[in-house]
Structures are given as C-alpha cells and as structure tokens.
Amino acid sequence: MRLTVAKKIHYDAGPNLTPLADVAMVILIFLMLVGSFGTEHYLANKVPLQQIQNVEPSGQWLPDEPLRIDVQSVGNGFEAVAGKVHTSNIDALTQQLARMRQQLAQAGTAPEQVRVVIAPQKSTRYNDLIRVYESALNAGFTRVAFAAATD
C-alpha cells in the first residue's frame, strides 16, 4: 500500500507581509527626513530660578546673543574656548565664566537674558562636556544649552 499523503507538503504561512514591511519602512524614512531636528537642547538643572518681572522692552532693546563655548577633548583632558578665554582647567573656566557673568551684569544685562551655548566637536567625550556644563552652572548662568556637534 502506497501512501501519497506523506509526499504532499503544504506550507500555509498566511498572508505575505513583505509589502507591508516595505510600506512601513518607506513611511518611517519619510518621517525621519521630513521631521525637524533642533540644534539646541536644554538640560534640567537644580539652579533656583529668580522671579522675572514683566518689564516692557524699550526702543533700544536688542535680542540677546548667546555666549558660545567650543569644547573639544584633547588627550586625557579637554580644551574650552569662550571668546577670549582659552583654557583646559575646569576651575579656571568656572572663574572666567563667573567674571564674564559679572561683566555682563555690570553692563546691565540680567543673568536670565544671557544664553550659554556649549558647542562640542564630534570627538568630544561626554564626561568633558558635562564638566563644562557644570562649570557654566557654577558660574551662575541659568540658561545653558547644547549645540549640535561639529567637526
């Protein structure tokens, strides 16, 4: 007696999901390309915010310019450049930034108006970046942001 049932192999795997996966990937790529990517991101910090009073801007009001700190990792340390300040010592950086904040306050700029932007290079280590961030907070700046990494 010959059994023909064993020779018939029937694979019922269900519907073909390959086109669905293709469409989902096309939609995902489209949304990634169309979406907007911000260049600055603020971290939450524990610095107490001072109460800002509502003051009408005068006719001579100008938008605030950010204080840019360029950071790069060099050897075991880092190198930070902020205007004329060029240092690789975290304590010296904190002192220089505090001095800049005092000069801005003497010029009539409120600390809430000063925006500090930390701009790392792509090779900058995370630890060095956070040390510069903490240095800016310790110097008394309340608005500290990160720019996109550059080459």
Side-chain angles (χ1 to χ4, degrees):
M1 178 173 168
R2 185 176 258 188
L3 296 175
T4 59
V5 176
K7 291 185 180 180
K8 291 182 180 177
I9 300 173
H10 184 66
Y11 294 104
D12 187 19
N16 187 4
L17 296 179
T18 304
L20 177 68
D22 290 343
V23 170
M25 290 302 293
V26 168
I27 291 172
L28 180 65
I29 291 170
F30 174 76
L31 290 176
M32 288 174 58
L33 293 176
V34 172
S36 63
F37 298 100
T39 58
E40 296 179 4
H41 304 283
Y42 289 92
L43 288 180
N45 58 37
K46 296 180 181 177
V47 176
L49 296 175
Q50 298 175 354
Q51 199 144 14
I52 302 172
Q53 298 181 9
N54 294 333
V55 178
E56 289 292 322
S58 65
Q60 299 176 349
W61 181 80
L62 296 174
D64 56 347
E65 287 292 322
L67 172 63
R68 182 181 171 101
I69 303 174
D70 294 313
V71 182
Q72 66 179 357
S73 294
V74 178
N76 291 333
F78 70 96
E79 189 174 280
V81 178
K84 296 181 181 179
V85 176
H86 185 89
T87 186
S88 59
N89 184 347
I90 197 70
D91 295 328
L93 179 64
T94 304
Q95 291 172 359
Q96 292 287 344
L97 290 175
R99 195 171 303 130
M100 283 183 178
R101 188 185 54 78
Q102 289 173 353
Q103 290 172 353
L104 288 168
Q106 289 173 354
T109 305
E112 296 84 20
Q113 291 178 325
V114 180
R115 188 171 47 132
V116 177
V117 177
I118 300 174
Q121 289 188 348
K122 287 187 178 181
S123 61
T124 303
R125 290 185 298 270
Y126 179 76
N127 188 27
D128 296 334
L129 191 63
I130 294 302
R131 287 173 57 197
V132 172
Y133 173 75
E134 289 173 348
S135 175
L137 291 179
N138 291 337
F141 291 106
T142 57
R143 295 178 61 197
V144 182
F146 294 100
T150 59
D151 287 333

